Amino acid sequence: MKYVLDISCLDTYASGAKQRFLSLYSELIKNNKNKNFLIIYTSYLDVKKGFNFPNVSFKKNKFSQDNYLKKIISTLYIFFYLTFNSKNLKSVEYFTLPFFKVNNCLTVFTIHDLRIIYFSKSSIKKVAYKLFFKFFL
């Protein structure tokens, strides 16, 4: 069984999501040597250096997530990749919207920040983000 961690949204900037991934998941992977993990990443973050464990494999996401259109394309790429390679998948954790549920495996989605809905100065953006979040959640 494979546990998939999609960290395509992480880049070189410091963030809570990045720190959580680097600290929590390195310990989780290190302490679960009998489980196989697949880390999906972009070129922004060199995770191979910090996660050089025998139970970890890597898949590079070819698409950046610089804007929302690119995020959607990136997420669709990951979804189709996982769907066509879904044999023995146990769970998939996403760190960014949008995400699409892969059949026959547990899907975990972690929300790190919803401030944009409440603190955006543009009413149009507030409504758009609310609809966006409601649709995907």
Side-chain angles (χ1 to χ4, degrees):
M1 290 292 198
K2 269 196 181 159
Y3 297 83
V4 178
L5 303 169
D6 172 20
I7 61 162
S8 299
C9 65
L10 302 183
D11 53 28
T12 57
Y13 298 106
S15 70
K18 182 178 177 183
Q19 290 308 313
R20 177 176 160 256
F21 173 76
L22 294 174
S23 59
L24 179 68
Y25 283 105
S26 64
E27 289 300 313
L28 178 80
I29 291 168
K30 194 180 347 176
N31 292 319
N32 286 281
K33 295 177 178 145
N34 60 333
K35 295 182 174 32
N36 295 310
F37 294 86
L38 171 64
I39 298 175
I40 301 174
Y41 70 102
T42 58
S43 60
Y44 295 120
L45 195 61
D46 184 14
V47 293
K48 290 183 180 181
K49 187 169 51 176
F51 289 86
N52 191 12
F53 302 110
N55 59 332
V56 176
S57 56
F58 299 93
K59 172 68 178 161
K60 185 174 181 181
N61 184 347
K62 301 172 187 175
F63 300 95
S64 70
Q65 295 197 355
D66 297 347
N67 62 47
Y68 286 108
L69 180 59
K70 288 181 181 179
K71 279 185 182 186
I72 292 169
I73 293 167
S74 171
T75 303
L76 285 171
Y77 168 76
I78 293 164
F79 169 71
F80 287 118
Y81 173 79
L82 293 175
T83 298
F84 291 115
N85 296 285
S86 64
K87 187 177 180 182
N88 295 324
L89 284 186
K90 178 74 174 170
S91 71
V92 177
E93 181 171 2
Y94 294 96
F95 291 87
T96 186
L97 279 174
F99 75 89
F100 298 95
K101 183 164 176 21
V102 178
N103 287 333
N104 301 320
C105 81
L106 175 69
T107 300
V108 178
F109 174 62
T110 303
I111 298 175
H112 295 281
D113 192 357
L114 292 173
R115 288 180 290 178
I116 197 159
I117 292 174
Y118 300 102
F119 298 111
S120 179
K121 293 179 180 173
S122 166
S123 296
I124 294 170
K125 275 189 179 180
K126 280 185 182 184
V127 170
Y129 281 117
K130 274 187 180 181
L131 292 172
F132 184 79
F133 283 114
K134 282 185 180 193
F135 176 78
F136 282 103
L137 296 178

